């Protein structure tokens, strides 16, 4: 069951969900919460994009993502206005400005979805990992972004509403401890 705007306000007030900084009422819609772009923003080294042949084979079941990202990601600089330029045909790893937590026992989970105003320009904000699980500790939400459109999109950290969070009620308490998971309490997109 997807939470309504009123239920979202109640979940925040009751501590079933924590968002830091707290969203203004204007960012809570009828069934979602708008979240902003955070910083930094990362790209894979340009020689490997968009269709570069890196000669590197990755087995996602047997590698250390943080170590890998330290070696192959580079930080995207901001312009003189403090904005990022999200270029066409490039993968970006970013984050939300807000930190989100679904405490154990909250029976809440969330999904990150795009915003139609930027999706219509071609920007996808999550590729295949939209889920924020019940029991997730306070941390940023990583965004796996790809600009499919023909335009450079300007986005300012803390200002640009980049995605929306849809909340769902879990039918029973999952009871699982997520504290040992790789991306628990993320501080940045590198994990």
């Amino acid at each position: 069951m997807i939470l309504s705007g009123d239920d979202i306000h109640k979940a925040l007030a009751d501590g079933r969900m924590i968002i830091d900084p707290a969203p203004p009422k204007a960012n809570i819609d009828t069934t979602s919460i708008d979240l902003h772009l955070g910083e930094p923003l990362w790209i894979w080294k340009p020689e490997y994009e968009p269709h570069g042949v890196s000669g590197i084979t990755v087995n996602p079941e047997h590698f250390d993502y943080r170590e890998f990202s330290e070696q192959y990601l580079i930080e995207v600089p901001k312009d003189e206005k403090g904005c990022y330029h999200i270029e066409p045909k490039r993968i970006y790893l970013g984050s939300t400005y807000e930190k989100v937590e679904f405490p154990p026992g909250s029976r809440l989970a969330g999904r990150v979805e795009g915003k139609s105003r930027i999706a219509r320009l071609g920007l996808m904000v999550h590729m295949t990992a939209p889920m924020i699980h019940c029991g997730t500790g306070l941390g940023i939400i990583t965004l796996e972004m790809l600009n499919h459109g023909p335009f450079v999109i300007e986005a300012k950290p803390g200002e640009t509403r980049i995605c929306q969070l849809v909340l769902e009620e879990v039918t029973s308490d999952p009871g699982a401890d997520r504290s040992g998971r790789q991306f628990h309490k993320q501080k940045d997109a590198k994990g």
Side-chain angles (χ1 to χ4, degrees):
M1 174 177 70
I2 293 175
L3 269 62
S4 70
D6 289 342
D7 290 334
I8 293 169
H9 285 290
K10 186 170 178 4
L12 284 165
D14 293 347
R16 289 179 65 204
M17 167 182 56
I18 298 162
I19 299 180
D20 182 28
K25 288 185 182 204
N27 283 19
I28 299 176
D29 205 342
T30 58
T31 56
S32 67
I33 305 168
D34 287 347
L35 300 177
H36 300 86
L37 179 66
E39 55 186 323
L41 198 59
W42 305 90
I43 58 171
W44 295 109
K45 289 183 177 178
E47 57 265 30
Y48 304 135
E49 282 193 335
H51 300 289
V53 178
S54 67
I56 299 167
T57 301
V58 178
N59 179 335
E61 295 297 324
H62 303 287
F63 86 119
D64 181 317
Y65 176 77
R66 179 165 283 284
E67 183 181 301
F68 187 81
S69 66
E70 289 291 338
Q71 188 172 356
Y72 294 105
L73 285 175
I74 58 173
E75 190 172 339
V76 176
K78 292 180 280 194
D79 69 13
E80 65 282 347
K81 298 182 294 184
C83 296
Y84 290 115
H85 292 240
I86 301 174
E87 298 174 2
K89 313 300 181 235
R90 174 162 273 165
I91 296 170
Y92 290 82
L93 293 178
S95 66
T96 57
Y97 174 75
E98 296 84 358
K99 293 178 181 172
V100 176
E101 179 177 5
F102 296 126
S106 68
R107 292 185 45 213
L108 291 178
R111 278 184 290 114
V112 176
E113 299 291 348
K115 300 279 302 164
S116 62
R117 68 184 164 78
I118 56 175
R120 292 170 195 215
L121 294 172
L123 185 64
M124 179 171 55
V125 297
H126 73 82
M127 291 188 189
T128 62
M131 193 72 200
I132 298 93
H133 296 276
C134 185
T136 296
L138 187 66
I140 55 93
I141 298 170
T142 294
L143 305 173
E144 305 96 3
M145 299 183 288
L146 177 59
N147 184 353
H148 288 285
F151 312 106
V152 173
I153 298 171
E154 185 178 87
K156 189 167 190 173
E159 286 186 20
T160 301
R161 289 179 291 159
I162 198 80
C163 64
Q164 55 191 325
L165 182 62
V166 177
L167 303 171
E168 299 182 64
E169 194 142 26
V170 180
T171 58
S172 63
D173 186 349
D177 178 13
R178 296 194 55 78
S179 61
R181 301 291 179 119
Q182 182 175 5
F183 299 120
H184 183 72
K185 295 186 178 183
Q186 291 186 96
K187 295 186 181 11
D188 63 37
K190 287 185 171 184

